[in-house]
Amino acid sequence: RNGFAMPKRIVFFFRTVFNKRDYIRFGFDIIRSRGYAVEAWDFSPVLRANYYRNYTPPDPVDFDGHKLYTHRKQIVDAVSGLSNEDIVVCFVGLDRDSAFIYKLLEKNNIPFGFCLLGLLPQINTHQRIIKRLYILLPNPVVSLRNMLVRLRLGMLAWMGRSQRTTSPHFMMIGGGAAKKDSRCSALDPAKVIKAHALDYDRYLEEEKLAHLNEGAAVRGYALFLDEDVPFHPDYLHSDTSPYCTADKYYGELNKFFDSFERATGLSIIVAAHPRADYKKRGNPYGNRELVFGKTIYFTKYAELILAHASTSLNFAILYKKPVIFMDSLEYSMRFRQGIHNAASAFGQKLLIVSEEHIFQLRDLSVNNDLYERYKNSYIKELGTPDKMCWDIFCDYVDELN
């Protein structure tokens, strides 16, 4: 009915190094169990060469459907070899480097689409100007440098968008905020697949195991959502500077954590960012416990959450946990803006980690209305299917068949 043959293969386009985490969160086992062949095409050696050369994921994966392309001609040949029996799921943004890929997809009439599964809060233009001025004043030199970096990236993104000639054939979205994306609003509603943020899959899995975890759960701690701020591989991917140097970041944060633990009697557990390789670098948080791959579990049983602007705040929303948002004058303007946006969406004030604080845990609260609004906007709209995200996608592909 869409002018395509019956889909038989689902091909994911990436410009990040494919790894075990991607295999799981993009539902490759689910897709295969639904009867479709699935492949991961990794274009990072061509589209993000410096990132590819300098980054090794801590969780490499051995998957026969993983195809690595090291030269532009290989990409051209592979994309040209697709047929309309294939469906392409694009995690490659449209810019001047990747425009040739989309031209090939359009030329050969290959069905492709994008996913918006876990957007972060944004504020309106007036609020953004006020907050940026507030952030800029304490550290104008650092902030001006970061403004110039953002201007360059914005120009590159605009150049990419200006080359766009067609709309995707589908969009899979999570939360109402995604519907405001121009690609989504221009589509026939029948081609908008209403799913949810990928974190909601982890929530569904956790709730299935709730009867096993409840009795063994650790209690009486606060959980910090680590973002690997000084070393995140996204800096290599986007060719930008870290949001903060390691010495300043961990120095300030550990001092803040010491003060917090003394004042509250709560120990702090650190939920390690999945891209951080602490086995190689060591634990930068002193003697504090680092946990890996169990962020939702430890969020569920925490007394409260300490965070900057991690996407794992979705778990705090789902389990209605109070959050302390931590800012610093040492952080880049871009990072601070993200923290301000997240705190505003939660209805919480910020703490500057370098300042002295009096912690009154009894003053922490959850604004149920704001939490529900956040869930509907950024995680899962009311009435969307309560099933795994990639099952929802396969339901859509089944309908095409």
Side-chain angles (χ1 to χ4, degrees):
R1 67 187 179 189
N2 290 292
F4 301 119
M6 292 190 297
K8 297 177 181 177
R9 179 175 60 164
I10 298 170
V11 181
F12 285 72
F13 285 4
F14 295 108
R15 63 173 166 195
T16 53
V17 177
F18 189 69
N19 51 69
K20 185 177 180 180
R21 175 175 177 250
D22 290 339
Y23 182 93
I24 294 170
R25 64 180 179 148
F26 296 125
F28 279 36
D29 281 338
I30 292 173
I31 293 170
R32 295 168 98 176
S33 73
R34 295 287 296 263
Y36 297 101
V38 60
E39 295 181 1
W41 291 12
D42 183 344
F43 301 151
S44 61
V46 176
L47 300 181
R48 291 293 183 270
N50 184 56
Y51 154 81
Y52 172 74
R53 286 193 302 266
N54 292 283
Y55 175 65
T56 301
D59 56 343
V61 62
D62 183 14
F63 166 51
D64 57 9
H66 178 208
K67 314 293 184 183
L68 183 67
Y69 297 92
T70 57
H71 296 86
R72 180 181 171 118
K73 186 179 184 304
Q74 292 177 337
I75 297 176
V76 170
D77 291 344
V79 176
S80 299
L82 292 168
S83 75
N84 59 10
E85 292 184 346
D86 300 311
I87 286 186
V88 177
V89 182
C90 295
F91 286 95
V92 173
L94 175 57
D95 57 28
R96 62 180 181 178
D97 295 324
S98 64
F100 75 98
I101 296 172
Y102 290 96
K103 287 180 180 178
L104 287 169
L105 290 173
E106 295 160 7
K107 177 183 177 181
N108 297 320
N109 199 30
I110 305 302
F112 72 93
F114 300 97
C115 299
L116 295 174
L117 303 172
L119 296 181
L120 293 173
Q122 301 293 324
I123 57 177
N124 65 43
T125 302
H126 176 71
Q127 289 176 310
R128 188 179 298 115
I129 292 172
I130 297 299
K131 285 187 177 292
R132 282 184 180 173
L133 286 174
Y134 167 75
I135 293 170
L136 177 68
L137 292 176
N139 204 336
V141 175
V142 173
S143 297
L144 181 59
R145 183 178 67 244
N146 285 305
M147 285 177 66
L148 293 174
V149 170
R150 291 195 57 162
L151 179 62
R152 179 176 67 85
L153 293 174
M155 287 296 294
L156 291 175
W158 178 83
M159 289 171 65
R161 287 193 297 269
S162 69
Q163 298 179 62
R164 186 173 177 183
T165 59
T166 189
S167 295
H169 299 89
F170 67 86
M171 292 283 295
M172 185 157 71
I173 65 172
K179 291 187 292 188
K180 299 177 182 177
D181 185 277
S182 59
R183 296 167 298 179
C184 186
S185 58
L187 273 184
D188 180 334
K191 297 179 181 179
V192 177
I193 308 166
K194 290 188 177 181
H196 46 252
L198 295 176
D199 287 334
Y200 196 77
D201 281 357
R202 306 288 80 77
Y203 172 77
L204 292 175
E205 291 169 343
E206 177 61 34
E207 289 307 285
K208 283 184 180 179
L209 300 173
H211 65 288
L212 300 175
N213 291 337
E214 183 69 28
V218 179
R219 312 283 177 172
Y221 63 89
L223 185 71
F224 171 57
L225 302 179
D226 173 47
E227 295 181 51
D228 199 18
V229 169
F231 302 106
H232 199 290
D234 277 359
Y235 303 133
L236 284 171
H237 191 268
S238 58
D239 192 25
T240 56
S241 300
Y243 293 150
C244 188
T245 65
D247 288 346
K248 290 178 180 178
Y249 181 76
Y250 295 119
E252 278 193 344
L253 212 55
N254 282 324
K255 185 177 179 181
F256 175 83
F257 287 166
D258 289 342
S259 175
F260 175 89
E261 288 175 329
R262 286 194 300 269
T264 65
L266 294 174
S267 61
I268 292 174
I269 294 176
V270 178
H273 190 275
R275 301 273 58 80
D277 195 349
Y278 290 126
K279 293 179 181 178
K280 182 183 296 182
R281 281 193 256 128
N283 185 348
Y285 298 104
N287 294 322
R288 294 183 177 90
E289 182 180 0
L290 271 172
V291 295
F292 299 86
K294 296 182 178 181
T295 300
I296 187 168
Y297 170 83
F298 280 92
T299 298
K300 182 177 181 178
Y301 297 106
E303 299 293 323
L304 61 92
I305 305 301
L306 299 162
H308 301 303
S310 169
T311 55
S312 291
L313 284 165
N314 287 342
F315 301 142
I317 289 287
L318 293 169
Y319 287 113
K320 296 208 163 105
K321 299 293 179 177
V323 181
I324 293 177
F325 289 90
M326 301 175 296
D327 190 14
S328 170
L329 303 182
E330 299 291 345
Y331 301 162
S332 72
M333 185 178 74
R334 183 178 187 180
F335 190 41
R336 298 191 70 197
Q337 182 68 69
I339 300 170
H340 280 245
N341 292 351
S344 177
F346 274 71
Q348 295 291 341
K349 295 180 179 179
L350 297 167
L351 291 184
I352 304 297
V353 294
S354 58
E355 297 176 356
E356 293 292 329
H357 300 282
I358 299 174
F359 298 101
Q360 298 290 339
L361 296 184
R362 64 176 179 272
D363 295 336
L364 287 172
S365 61
V366 168
N367 186 318
N368 287 318
D369 289 339
L370 283 180
Y371 273 47
E372 193 61 29
R373 188 185 309 166
Y374 189 107
K375 179 182 176 181
N376 285 324
S377 295
Y378 304 108
I379 303 176
K380 181 183 185 295
E381 280 190 283
L382 191 66
T384 53
D386 213 33
K387 56 173 33 174
M388 298 292 278
C389 191
W390 299 103
D391 269 322
I392 297 172
F393 179 72
C394 287
D395 289 344
Y396 171 80
V397 180
D398 288 349
E399 286 295 314
L400 297 181
N401 284 339

